[in-house]
Amino acid sequence: MADDLGSILLNAQSRDLAARNLAEQQLGQWENQSLAQFMVALAQELAREGLDGNSRQLAGLHLKNLLLARDAAVAAEKRRRWYADVDDRSRAQIKALSLDVLRSPTAQAAHAGAQVVAKIGAIEMQGKQWPELLSQLLNNMTASDAVDCDLLKTVTLETLGYVCEELQEESVDQLATNQILTAIVDGMRDDRVDTVRVAACRALLNSLAFTRHNFDNEAERNMIMQVLCGATKSSNDRLRVIAFESLARVASLYYEKLPQYIETIFALTLTAIQQDKEEVSMMAIEFWSALCEEELEILEEIEDGGEQQRVCARYVHAAATHITPVLLQSTLLKQDEQGDQDAWNISAAGAICLGLVAQTVGDRIVADVLAFVEANILKSEWRCREASIMAFGQILDGPKPETLAGPVQTAMPVLIQTLGDDHVLVKDTAAWTLARICELHSQRIPQGFLQPLVEQLSNALQDTSRVAAQACFAVHNLAQVFERTPQERGTNALSPFFQPLVTRLLTTTERHDWQENNLRGQAYEALNMLIQNHALDTRPVVIQVLQVVLQRLHGTFSMAIVSQDDKVERDQLQSLLCSVIQVITRGIDGDILPFCDHIITLLLQVLNNENAIACEEALMTVGAVASTIDHNFEKYLAGLFPFLVKDLRNYSEWQICSAAVGTWGDICRALELQILPYCDEVVCCLLEDLQNPALNRQVKPAVLACFGDIALAIGGNFVKYLSPTLQMLDQAAHTEISKDDEELVEYLGMLREGILEAYIGITQGLNDGCNSVALLPQLGNIFQFLEIVCRENEEESMSKSCIGLVGDLAVAFVHHAAEAAPFFQKSFVSELISRGQSVDSIREVALWAQTKRDVLVSC
């Protein structure tokens, strides 16, 4: 292996496909034969002086990639194999060789070694392994016997930075943090070479999450802030960029520690925004964006009335009159004419920051921005026109609506006219700003401007893909304005323009440049919103659209599939067409019935293609049909059932599994007792879903709720499935998570909602089937769960579900009051109902539950 490893690694990068495939097969074979032997060989190749630098670098990167994975499950498997398949002696040899290569004078090898050491270090330090790593790295910082001491310091600092980037905060004790910081701050000294200072600053950026204790110490905090502020003045561009990025991170992590430094940072950032190179200016802007986001979060916490309220120092409010003109003059006017829509440049960074400032300070920003708009909106230079419109669009969210009422009305005719501007970026920004007005200030649009607005947006749909995509966004938001307009009125203000808009959007979806700027997707989304909020007088047009869409979906099955790109195009198109059918189905009620045979036939073909993109949307469309035609759906279930079962067991593509669960819930509500012959297999699938660790946890709350849908549908017949269902609900109810992980906290809330929906459905279903007594032994567990939820929950929706369940249980057990009453007399039940009666959205349910509880307790 060792003799030809280098050449195989080089061949794995070859442009010759055959040679590359052969090399990759050989590398995979070695990995599978003996992971330990292969990793040792790679480490030896990396460490061997005198070999080609490219070969050594490739060996290091391949070694690192054997331990690295973006997917959490794959990463966990690679960590397991590191300990299970690589023996202690081999691991020690790999670590020693990787550490030695940091001292190599060959830069390619040394930098690759830093990545390897960091990856192994991140794995082992989490398990409190490799305790000597940190001391060995710190020794490198003071070593004087290396061939290239500056390179050694640079790659050592890179290693520390990589390690810090991967480690969790709890994996690093305070002593280690202090040692790392000492080495980093030493590396940032002014007398260090730039490569060392850049690596040190990057390491500091990655270590900031671990330095809470150090930031609490004023002397240590001053030292960190001193070296960061000093680095912003370096002559090295890269160092200045990372220094400002670090200051932005400090603003997010240690907002409360900023008072001593805010004036210095204010001066440094404003100077950099106005005078430095673009990449540096953008990071200086990032500081203010981060500061805005932090203050917005604090202000939201104060508004919500949380117990531990942080103090908002209102730095952005104080600086608004200074930062706003700088953003307007020094960033918005520096557009990149050649950049694409999603390009991140100083103009885009400045615009986003301006919007965040507007959200943070509200009305305080309006006068300065309006003055800028008035001064530039009619200038001949396109950059001035575009910047003025962008500035206006960015302040639409933040100031009071009444403050912007006049400016919006004044701006409307100018913006509509600007949709016909000579420059594409001006038209693009005008369409985006009109979309924002439709979204945030629709009530401020003067009535007389609806017709010219729709006509110009319709024309913009024929413009470049960039402008057309923004016009789709504007049409979408304009249609959304009519979301709450009752269909019973027969018409709405968009009715006169409905057919031409729909026709133009359908044409847009088939433009030759549909792939650019997600134009096809944007056009179909706008079409869906128009259809969703259509008035009755446009129903014939909607039915015409349905016929067109069904024809297009039928046509996708004869598309020529020559390449993977062709398949992806077909799958995406089928998904979009299914989404339109779904919206139409839910929107036209009984008028869908004559088309259902055709719809289901096409959906079965989509499901038979087994592509994840379209399958999820097809399943949801099946659910929409079931929900709309109720018992008439029964004739389609036998044909669809095999696909539903297969997708309920699709653990690898969890979105499809989730869609199948939701679709079965729709079918339960539509067919009720008619689902009974299919329940054995479905319940088996759902129980398997809950027990399968490979299934994404996001599906499990919906699975739990689905048991409630089944119970409601089949009533007393659910007794057959009661025991395993209750066992699963009880296990889910005892789920414990770390309160520090926001994602897990959110998941626990979803899980509890699913449990509540299940209990509610089961309680009502068994009661309707006169079998509620079967639930009596579970009352203790149910009320224990309710007490936990009531103690920890603050969400109105969950409180409403809890109160509703209490009422349902009281109804179900009124004839078993002697056994059930003690549970209803618990103090938390009274407190729950009492709190509900003080909330408008819950009061009615709470009063009903109180009545039913009182009846049971008095029996």
Side-chain angles (χ1 to χ4, degrees), residues 46 52-62 108-109 111-112 115:
L46 170 64
D52 176 71
N54 285 334
S55 174
R56 295 176 68 187
Q57 181 183 40
L58 289 172
L61 294 178
H62 199 90
Q108 286 172 291
H111 288 299
Q115 295 184 53

Side-chain angles (χ1 to χ4, degrees), residues 5 89 100 173 424 490 535 611 613 643 673 857:
L5 178 55
R89 182 178 177 182
D100 285 345
D173 60 35
V424 64
N611 69 79
I613 301 172
F643 295 101
L673 203 56
V857 171

